[in-house]
Structures are given as C-alpha cells and as structure tokens.
Amino acid sequence: MEEAISSSPSTRIALVTGGNKGIGLEVCRQLAGNGVTVILTARDETRGTAAVENLRALRLSNVIFHQLDITDGSSISRLSDFMKSRFGRLDILVNNAAFGGVEYARDPAYTSVTSEEELSGMDRDQRLEWLWINSQETYDAAKKGLQTNYYGTKHVIEALLPLLQASSDGRIVNVSSDFGLLRKRGAEARAERRWQTHRGEAGRAAGHVPEGL
C-alpha cells in the first residue's frame, strides 16, 4: 500500500517503525490526527496494511504503509529510496521497532496466569513481575535484541539522515522502555517466588504448612 498522498511543503512528514500495533500504532494515530502525513512501517505487510485500514476507518486518510524490516539492509534501502522519490525529505523519524531480548518460558512456580484476558487485567507492576518470572535470557535472544534494537535502529537512522537534514526542522524520536532497567527488581521477584515455593514445599513435607499455602 504505497499509493500517493498529496502533501504540501508545509505538511510535516513522519515515519514510524514498528507502527502496526501498540505504542507505534498509537503514535501514528495521534500524528495523523494532528495533520501530519504518516508513513507506517512494519515487517509484515498484511499486518501493516490492516493497521492502515483501521486508521482510515477513523477517517485518518493521511497514513500510508511501507514494508520495513530494520534488520534487513535491502528493506531499509527500499524504504529510503521510496521516501526520497516520493517526499524528498523527512521531518520526524520515530524509532519504535524493537525486540524484547528475552525468551518466555513459564516458571512452574507461577502458574496462575493462563490467558491474555488475565494478563490484561493486571496492573503495570503485576505485568512486569509476570514478564520477569516467566522470561529467560539466552544468547540467541540477546544477539537478536542487539541486532534489532541497536544495529537495526542505527542503520535506519543512517539511511534516512540525509532526508532528515533536508527538512527545516528534522528530528529523531527514540522510543525506549524501562523494562531493561528493572532487571534487578525482576531477578529479586523471581528469587522471592521460588523461595516462597521452596519454603511451602519444605513446610508441607514437614507437616508445618497447610496445603493451601
């Protein structure tokens, strides 16, 4: 979905990576709602196109889709060529696409959550605790996180920088998360959960702790 959208020199142009869901999609919605022409990008063309159609259902016609995998150099080049030929500049680059850097493997000690409905009912701290208890860091996940979050973002910026410099007010917005800053807290939560489970099992074996605890 790369159809033409009329854009006057006074209309700002924004590009959002990972724009098909979550924070990225909301950024696209708010930018488009404020009159900015938005290029919504995503790895998956089907999901990206569906996201644009959903925004257009909200009468936001100034959004277009272009495929982008920030870990693929040829994909980045195609996007850069498209932006150069279609707009000749870029006013706002929102780097939102990212990978969590962990793999999820449910801890047997934390079996109360079994569905997205239950997760959605948690507050922020409860969700973070669940994520930490049920995630593990592996070499492959760390490597993918580095390739995506650092090198992928870096390569996108390098490719689009000339277009940002062609703008009278070009800017880069990097979306980050405090998830990585909570590592110590997450490790403590994991250790506490396992300690409570171990204590309960030991107590029941000794006949000191009721089965419900």
Side-chain angles (χ1 to χ4, degrees):
M1 184 184 293
E2 299 175 2
E3 66 275 18
I5 287 183
S6 58
S7 180
S8 68
S10 61
T11 301
R12 306 200 75 189
I13 310 296
L15 187 147
V16 181
T17 68
N20 63 295
K21 63 180 180 179
I23 292 174
L25 181 59
E26 179 62 16
V27 169
C28 291
R29 186 188 70 81
Q30 293 200 29
L31 286 171
N34 282 279
V36 178
T37 295
V38 178
I39 295 83
L40 181 157
T41 72
R43 286 184 304 167
D44 188 288
E45 292 195 25
T46 300
R47 293 177 180 177
T49 300
V52 169
E53 291 175 349
N54 289 336
L55 291 176
R56 290 186 173 179
L58 300 176
R59 298 184 179 180
L60 298 173
S61 60
N62 50 332
V63 183
I64 59 176
F65 170 71
H66 195 287
Q67 192 276 338
L68 172 65
D69 179 349
I70 68 171
T71 65
D72 182 347
S74 61
S75 177
I76 295 174
S77 294
R78 287 193 296 271
L79 173 66
S80 177
D81 291 342
F82 165 76
M83 293 297 298
K84 183 177 181 179
S85 63
R86 182 65 61 88
F87 300 105
R89 77 177 198 279
L90 178 60
D91 301 300
I92 306 168
L93 169 61
V94 181
N95 290 308
N96 173 69
F99 174 71
V102 296
E103 294 180 355
Y104 296 104
R106 183 182 298 282
D107 188 327
Y110 199 91
T111 58
S112 61
V113 177
T114 58
S115 68
E116 288 189 11
E117 288 75 15
E118 288 173 292
L119 273 175
S120 64
M122 292 181 174
D123 62 26
R124 175 179 176 276
D125 289 341
Q126 290 172 327
R127 289 174 67 91
L128 286 171
E129 180 187 7
W130 184 91
L131 286 169
W132 275 116
I133 290 174
N134 292 282
S135 66
Q136 59 183 1
E137 296 171 322
T138 66
Y139 173 82
D140 288 339
K143 181 178 179 180
K144 183 177 180 180
L146 186 63
Q147 290 174 333
T148 304
N149 303 347
Y150 176 72
Y151 288 107
T153 298
K154 177 176 181 287
H155 294 156
V156 169
I157 292 173
E158 290 173 342
L160 298 178
L161 189 58
L163 294 169
L164 287 160
Q165 292 173 328
S167 168
S168 61
D169 187 27
R171 62 188 62 194
I172 299 172
V173 179
N174 293 318
V175 178
S176 61
S177 169
D178 61 1
F179 187 56
L181 300 178
L182 299 175
R183 187 166 309 283
K184 181 178 179 181
R185 176 181 175 183
E188 290 173 347
R190 188 196 303 266
E192 175 66 17
R193 174 68 64 176
R194 287 176 174 165
W195 162 245
Q196 293 291 349
T197 300
H198 173 73
R199 187 177 68 171
E201 291 174 348
R204 281 191 289 274
H208 300 313
V209 180
E211 280 295 327
L213 299 180

